[in-house]
Amino acid sequence: MAGGTCAPPAGWSNVTLILAGAMFMQTAAWPPQIELWRPIIEREAAANRIDPALLAAIIHIESRGWAGAVSRSGACGLMQVMASDTATVHPELFADRPTCIELMNPAFNVAWGADYLATNYETYGNWPDALQHYYGRTVDYRYSGLILALCREY
């Protein structure tokens, strides 16, 4: 897996847990609403060289495993990918994205989201920055800290 995905970056120790402001109970299995998507998650994780627990954590935080989720900002599906036709903030930035209807297909959504995340990792070279750019906000690392903390628990 690229960069030891769920391990905290060098020098971070427990900073991601503090930034996330959340504690998670140790569990061997994913929550049932995430477990439902395990075959898709594992396939796309392998195809993009990403830890499956990282994709599971993103899906847990973004949609709680609901494939039909649509946010107020126009993000759609399991991984809450911004769609070309529903973006309410800077829609011009998302013109090359799939439509919300396309993103309601769980396999397509996870494939698109995993590819985008892998591209971010290649661009930024570390998971905290890749996750912050996936989220769309780079002001602080709360989002990446939350995802990485949950990923370590999975």
Side-chain angles (χ1 to χ4, degrees):
M1 304 298 154
T5 309
C6 294
W12 277 45
S13 62
N14 288 326
V15 170
T16 54
L17 286 173
I18 294 165
L19 286 174
M23 292 293 197
F24 299 96
M25 295 177 61
Q26 183 69 30
T27 178
W30 299 344
Q33 69 273 26
I34 307 304
E35 189 67 42
L36 175 68
W37 308 111
R38 183 181 285 273
I40 294 170
I41 292 168
E42 289 181 345
R43 181 183 65 237
E44 295 308 326
N48 289 283
R49 298 180 43 102
I50 296 172
D51 187 332
L54 183 64
L55 294 182
I58 291 171
I59 291 169
H60 186 150
I61 296 300
E62 291 290 347
S63 69
R64 298 290 191 254
W66 180 35
V70 179
S71 73
R72 287 178 291 188
S73 63
C76 301
L78 289 171
M79 292 189 68
Q80 289 292 280
V81 175
M82 290 297 288
S84 62
D85 58 341
T86 57
T88 59
V89 179
H90 298 293
E92 70 279 3
L93 297 177
F94 305 104
D96 63 339
R97 298 283 184 99
T99 67
C100 195
I101 294 296
E102 291 172 313
L103 290 166
M104 290 298 171
N105 176 314
F108 182 82
N109 185 282
V110 176
W112 209 97
D115 181 68
Y116 182 63
L117 184 61
T119 299
N120 282 350
Y121 182 81
E122 290 172 15
T123 301
Y124 300 105
N126 65 74
W127 289 112
D129 286 333
L131 287 161
Q132 284 306 116
H133 284 84
Y134 180 89
Y135 182 58
R137 293 191 184 138
T138 57
V139 177
D140 60 46
Y141 287 89
R142 284 185 216 142
Y143 177 80
S144 60
L146 182 62
I147 297 294
L148 291 171
L150 184 55
C151 179
R152 283 194 302 277
E153 295 303 318
Y154 285 165

